[in-house]
């Protein structure tokens, strides 16, 4: 049809010249989550490496880093611009256009897997392929504890939580703007209560499908508050040094098996230091080279379970019969494969779908406008 342009490969560029550290952090956090979920196969060359397996789970706090970055980025783009129902509706439509196409596509993949397993009479992992949870997943409510366990594309619980934060964003931003001290005290008190075990088990940083939306709330609010106090953040001395120290603390903490109650606070500190470095425009050449890969964050996050299922489990383990060191090497190879698939998904599927659903007719290549449409995960 006239006027419809076919999708094509695009050159990755940073979404904004102003938030390069946050873009680089998002990419690194996405890779950390991949490591968490690939770790069984990554450690195949080291039988009995239960300690390493357990400690690598500490990298799962990268999701909490996403939530905090999200609160800041959404505030950076929209701030107090959502002053009418029409503006709020446009905001939500763009959020849906960004998140839902890939979510629905990955959900469809796991639905097909479940149907195949059921047709073969095999063990279809009833919890994961619980078709009574299909509608819940389709409308992004799986982070509300409505299913008995993780289901379909299990990582999408965080997208459910993220969408909930988007719905609540105008009220959260208004509360922080109108009552800054009260909001700061309230968020600090909430985190303290959660750290002290205010919620029944599981611990709040362990929550995913089981009310993971409660896990997203503190981090998202921290991001909003950091934006509203950005003038103070811009005065932090040597922000890059603090960022490096915080990243080192996270890596060391994971290596030593520090509890997630500590690691999540470090993740929030990393976010704050990254924001300060960006506000002071302290990005060096390495950060500038990594930042464009931040555009792949959401794709990597949503597609790596499929890469694990197809590339590692089916091809590597079942067809090729790999184990031990060979399986470890194969799993390492799955990392660039996942990134490549994510790039193709962004170019050929997600960007065209986003433009179609958002009703936009803008350029096909991402711009460097700091107020352009951005996304958090």
């Amino acid at each position: 049809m006239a006027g419809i342009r076919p999708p094509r490969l695009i050159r990755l560029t940073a979404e904004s010249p102003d938030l390069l550290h946050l873009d680089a952090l998002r990419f690194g956090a996405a890779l950390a989550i991949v490591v968490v979920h690939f770790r069984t196969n990554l450690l195949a060359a080291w039988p009995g490496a239960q300690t390493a397996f357990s400690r690598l789970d500490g990298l799962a706090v990268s999701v909490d880093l996403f939530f905090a970055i999200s609160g800041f980025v959404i505030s950076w783009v929209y701030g107090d611009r959502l002053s009418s129902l029409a503006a709020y509706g446009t905001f939500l439509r763009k959020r849906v256009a960004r998140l839902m196409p890939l979510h629905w596509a990955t959900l469809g993949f796991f639905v097909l897997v479940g149907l195949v397993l059921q047709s073969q009479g095999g063990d279809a992992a009833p919890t994961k392929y619980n078709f009574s949870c299909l509608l819940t997943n389709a409308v992004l409510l799986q982070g509300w504890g409505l299913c008995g366990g993780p289901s379909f594309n299990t990582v999408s619980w965080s997208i459910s939580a993220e969408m909930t934060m988007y719905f609540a964003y105008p009220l959260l931003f208004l509360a922080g703007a109108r009552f800054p001290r009260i909001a700061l005290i309230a968020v600090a008190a909430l985190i303290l209560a959660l750290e002290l075990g205010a919620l029944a088990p599981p611990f709040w940083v362990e929550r995913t499908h089981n009310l993971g939306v409660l896990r997203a709330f503190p981090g998202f609010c921290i991001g909003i508050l950091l934006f509203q106090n950005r003038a103070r953040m811009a005065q932090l001395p040597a922000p890059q040094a603090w960022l490096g120290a915080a990243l080192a603390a996270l890596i060391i903490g994971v290596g030593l098996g520090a509890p997630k109650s500590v690691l999540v606070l470090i993740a929030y500190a990393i976010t704050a230091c990254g924001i300060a470095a960006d506000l002071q425009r302290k990005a060096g050449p390495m950060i500038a080279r990594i930042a464009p890969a931040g555009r792949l964050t959401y794709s990597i996050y949503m597609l790596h379970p499929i890469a694990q299922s197809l590339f590692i489990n089916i091809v590597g383990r079942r067809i090729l019969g790999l184990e031990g060191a060979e399986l470890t090497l194969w799993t390492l190879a799955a990392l660039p494969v996942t990134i490549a698939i994510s790039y193709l998904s962004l170019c050929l599927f997600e960007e065209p779908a986003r433009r179609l659903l958002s009703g936009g007719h803008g350029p096909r290549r991402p711009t460097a406008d700091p107020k352009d449409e951005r996304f958090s995960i």
Side-chain angles (χ1 to χ4, degrees):
M1 294 178 60
I4 297 181
R5 297 169 296 181
R8 69 176 185 182
L9 300 182
I10 61 176
R11 178 177 177 271
L12 290 181
T13 58
E15 293 184 76
S16 165
D18 299 316
L19 303 178
L20 298 181
H21 286 88
L22 294 189
D23 282 341
L25 286 174
R26 289 194 302 136
F27 178 66
L31 294 184
I33 294 299
V34 175
V35 169
V36 170
H37 294 148
F38 282 12
R39 68 190 190 276
T40 297
N41 298 303
L42 281 171
L43 297 172
W46 296 275
Q50 187 58 40
T51 298
F53 179 89
S54 176
R55 290 182 178 179
L56 281 175
D57 187 55
L59 290 174
V61 299
S62 297
V63 174
D64 303 280
L65 181 120
F66 282 139
F67 291 138
I69 291 177
S70 175
F72 181 86
V73 169
I74 291 298
S75 299
W76 176 269
V77 177
Y78 291 98
D80 56 359
R81 292 166 55 190
L82 306 183
S83 56
S84 68
L85 287 178
Y88 180 55
T90 299
F91 164 74
L92 291 180
R93 185 177 68 178
K94 290 184 176 182
R95 298 298 89 216
V96 167
R98 175 59 190 133
L99 298 181
M100 297 307 280
L102 187 57
H103 166 61
W104 284 328
T106 58
L107 174 61
F109 170 84
F110 285 102
V111 166
L112 289 176
V113 171
L115 291 173
V116 169
L117 290 174
Q118 288 187 359
S119 68
Q120 293 178 348
D123 180 8
T127 300
K128 181 172 181 176
Y129 299 106
N130 181 358
F131 281 86
S132 67
C133 289
L134 179 56
L135 179 60
T136 301
N137 278 264
V139 297
L140 279 182
L141 291 177
Q142 67 272 38
W144 279 87
L146 301 178
C147 295
S151 53
F152 298 104
N153 190 5
T154 56
V155 300
S156 66
W157 72 268
S158 65
I159 309 306
S160 169
E162 186 84 3
M163 184 59 76
T164 302
M165 295 301 102
Y166 293 153
F167 274 101
Y169 170 72
L171 291 177
L172 297 177
F173 186 88
L174 180 62
R178 293 283 182 87
F179 311 102
R181 292 184 180 178
I182 295 176
L184 183 61
I185 293 173
V187 171
L190 173 61
I191 293 176
L192 178 61
L194 292 172
E195 291 282 273
L196 294 177
L199 292 178
F203 189 60
W204 73 282
V205 189
E206 300 285 351
R207 289 181 178 270
T208 56
H209 66 280
N210 43 6
L211 286 178
V213 66
L214 299 178
R215 176 177 171 182
F217 184 79
F220 194 81
C221 289
I222 285 175
I224 293 175
L225 293 174
L226 288 172
F227 172 79
Q228 293 173 336
N229 289 275
R230 60 193 181 279
R232 293 186 178 91
M233 298 301 302
Q235 297 175 4
L236 179 70
Q240 283 185 310
W242 284 110
L243 176 59
L247 288 169
L250 180 64
I251 294 171
I252 293 171
V254 169
L256 295 177
K260 287 184 179 179
S261 58
V262 173
L263 296 177
V264 69
L265 299 181
I266 298 175
Y268 291 156
I270 289 171
T271 304
C273 294
I275 289 170
D278 278 334
L279 291 173
Q280 297 181 31
R281 293 185 173 271
K282 296 292 186 179
M286 183 176 70
I287 293 296
R289 285 193 292 268
I290 296 174
R295 286 191 58 81
L296 300 177
T297 301
Y298 181 58
S299 311
I300 292 171
Y301 184 79
M302 294 295 284
L303 290 171
H304 79 270
I306 295 178
Q308 178 168 269
S309 297
L310 295 179
F311 188 80
I312 299 176
N313 293 335
I314 293 180
V315 177
R317 301 185 68 169
R318 295 188 183 182
I319 296 178
L320 299 179
L322 301 178
E323 57 184 34
E326 292 179 336
L327 181 56
T328 293
L329 292 175
W330 187 260
T331 305
L332 287 173
L335 294 174
V337 168
T338 301
I339 294 173
I341 293 173
S342 300
Y343 170 71
L344 293 176
S345 171
L346 176 70
C347 297
L348 305 180
F349 174 65
E350 297 170 61
E351 283 290 314
R354 179 183 66 81
R355 290 194 302 272
L356 179 64
L357 292 179
S358 64
H361 303 285
R364 296 189 311 166
R365 291 177 177 244
T367 68
D369 182 355
K371 296 300 182 185
D372 192 17
E373 180 62 16
R374 297 181 56 90
F375 41 90
S376 55
I377 286 187

